[in-house]
Amino acid sequence: MDDTFLIASIWILLALLASLISIRLGISLALIEILVGVVAGNVIHLQITDWVNFLASLGSVILTFLAGAEIDPASLKKNLKQSVVIGVLSFLLPCICGILVAYFLLGWDINAAKITGIALSTTSVAVVYAVMVESRLTSTSFGQSILAACFITDLGTVLALGFLFTGFSYKLLIFAGAVIVVCFAGIPLAKWIFARYSGKVSEPEIKFVLLILLFLGFLAQYSGSEAVLPAYIIGLAMAGFFLQYKETLHKMRAIAFVAFTPFYFIKAGSLVSIKALAATLSLIIILLLVKVAAKFVGVLPATRLFKYSGRNGIYTTLLMSTGLTFGTISALYGLTNKYISSSQYSVIVTVVILSAVVPTLIAQKFFFPKNVLQEQSVQGGPNNGNE
């Protein structure tokens, strides 16, 4: 008997419970969905099918695209320097510290140490974007500079994987060429479709955007890269004309949060094994502390350099400490190519997923930058979080 509808019902029931708990407790929905996934994965052994994997992947791609599309080009240009500096430091220090600790302290071989460093260096655009949407920070210059820094960090992760392991091939050139073609030819076509068909019941403009994301996702995987990388680039490239079509972005956001992102976040939580966590707790704590501490050493001084207030600087650092998509991708790459063992994979993935929850929870509860929203409301314009 085909039990697809039963499996889908269970996933949607979990998503509904997560929404109700999130509203009741006032905690970010993404975090609650991850925690619900942890419980479901360990208690009812939640089933992850191929179509669940696809919906989860599509959720991360759409979230990453929206994170890029909602960045105001003028704000990005204004805050480009600080986003680049924070993003580079956010990648570099955790990567180096992760490699050193895994190699010298844990005694892992050099390839396992490099995979560990890369996985710990990541910042999750999807988690940060989801949290900021709920907190209304996406409309502020402060929030947009954090999202841009997230992209810089994850770009460093992708390049590190390429330099240290996968190398570069003609397929990567095909992929890079396709992204350039879409930016210069596909986006003008998108503008024409939006101008001509926007507002129709069948929403052809949204289907066209999905077509671009799915095709570039295919090319990214064909070249050995990941679908979320072109999604952010295309989102940034389309951000300018999306200023005229905010309603379309809101529709896409609603579609993503209802139909796709619950699969992404709940699946992430379900990968955490409580048994494995208990058996390797000391390793997990060490690596989680290394990741967060390295982010603080690198990012927090940079925020002071750009005159962030103390509270906003800590909030920025904690959000840059999150990880999910690229961290798990790096770990899976290491496992698939036998650079790390299954037990090392479990440790790294657990650290990555915990880093999506713990720093974000602390940031939202104790360091949420209310002043940014208040000052934006008073000034009637964006606020960059500086003193």
Side-chain angles (χ1 to χ4, degrees):
M1 185 178 74
D2 188 350
D3 55 358
T4 299
F5 279 95
L6 176 60
I7 296 171
S9 300
I10 294 171
W11 279 81
I12 294 301
L13 174 62
L14 294 173
L16 172 62
L17 289 174
S19 296
L20 297 177
I21 295 171
S22 170
I23 294 169
R24 183 74 176 174
L25 299 182
I27 298 175
S28 169
L29 176 60
L31 302 183
I32 296 297
E33 286 179 340
I34 292 173
L35 294 175
V36 166
V38 173
V39 175
N42 287 275
V43 175
I44 64 172
H45 304 293
L46 189 62
Q47 193 167 349
I48 300 176
T49 64
D50 288 342
W51 61 265
V52 168
N53 282 326
F54 173 73
L55 292 179
S57 298
L58 189 54
S60 67
V61 167
I62 296 177
L63 271 182
T64 307
F65 168 79
L66 290 172
E70 293 208 29
I71 290 181
D72 183 349
S75 173
L76 176 64
K77 185 177 180 181
K78 178 183 175 184
N79 298 309
L80 185 60
K81 185 178 178 181
Q82 66 194 55
S83 295
V84 170
V85 171
I86 290 173
V88 169
L89 291 171
S90 169
F91 159 74
L92 201 57
L93 288 185
C95 185
I96 294 172
C97 292
I99 292 173
L100 294 176
V101 168
Y103 186 73
F104 291 105
L105 182 63
L106 305 184
W108 294 0
D109 67 40
I110 188 60
N111 282 330
K114 287 191 289 187
I115 290 291
T116 304
I118 293 170
L120 296 188
S121 71
T122 57
T123 295
S124 175
V125 173
V127 170
V128 174
Y129 173 73
V131 168
M132 287 197 169
V133 166
E134 293 177 65
S135 307
R136 296 184 291 116
L137 286 173
T138 48
S139 60
T140 67
S141 178
F142 173 67
Q144 295 189 358
S145 66
I146 294 177
L147 286 171
C150 292
F151 172 70
I152 299 295
T153 300
D154 283 343
L155 183 61
T157 301
V158 173
L159 292 176
L161 270 178
F163 279 118
L164 295 178
F165 290 104
T166 61
F168 295 94
S169 66
Y170 72 92
K171 292 181 179 179
L172 199 59
L173 292 177
I174 293 175
F175 166 57
V179 173
I180 293 172
V181 168
V182 169
C183 287
F184 285 94
I187 292 178
L189 180 58
K191 289 181 181 178
W192 179 80
I193 291 176
F194 270 70
R196 187 175 180 85
Y197 297 109
S198 182
K200 303 294 183 185
V201 174
S202 59
E203 307 287 0
E205 73 276 21
I206 294 179
K207 292 171 183 169
F208 184 75
V209 172
L210 287 177
L211 172 63
I212 290 177
L213 295 178
L214 290 170
F215 183 66
L216 286 179
F218 158 71
L219 288 179
Q221 291 186 335
Y222 171 74
S223 68
S225 184
E226 292 299 330
V228 290
L229 181 61
Y232 195 88
I233 295 172
I234 296 302
L236 274 178
M238 299 179 80
F241 84 87
F242 262 122
L243 291 174
Q244 307 170 45
Y245 299 101
K246 286 290 185 184
E247 187 180 351
T248 303
L249 273 183
H250 294 160
K251 288 177 183 175
M252 290 189 67
R253 184 196 297 170
I255 293 170
F257 275 72
V258 170
F260 300 117
T261 60
F263 291 93
Y264 173 64
F265 289 120
I266 292 173
K267 177 193 165 188
S270 71
L271 296 177
V272 175
S273 166
I274 299 296
K275 287 184 180 177
L277 192 153
T280 57
L281 187 59
S282 59
L283 290 181
I284 291 169
I285 291 174
I286 289 172
L287 292 179
L288 184 60
L289 288 176
V290 167
K291 171 168 183 165
V292 176
K295 296 276 184 180
F296 265 81
V297 171
V299 174
L300 190 58
T303 63
R304 297 302 297 158
L305 178 67
F306 293 104
K307 302 187 185 304
Y308 282 44
S309 68
R311 186 184 188 88
N312 293 353
I314 294 174
Y315 183 81
T316 300
T317 306
L318 286 168
L319 287 192
M320 295 302 294
S321 302
T322 60
L324 195 58
T325 309
F326 280 105
T328 52
I329 286 171
S330 303
L332 184 59
Y333 177 83
L335 179 67
T336 304
N337 291 279
K338 303 186 186 309
Y339 294 127
I340 57 176
S341 65
S342 58
S343 61
Q344 289 170 327
Y345 171 80
S346 298
V347 169
I348 295 172
V349 167
T350 303
V351 170
V352 168
I353 295 174
L354 286 178
S355 75
V357 176
V358 178
T360 312
L361 199 57
I362 295 172
Q364 292 295 96
K365 276 293 177 187
F366 302 107
F367 298 99
F368 182 74
K370 296 177 182 176
N371 62 310
V372 173
L373 293 178
Q374 290 169 348
E375 289 173 20
Q376 183 190 32
S377 177
V378 171
Q379 296 169 2
N383 185 294
N384 64 5
N386 297 2
E387 288 176 319

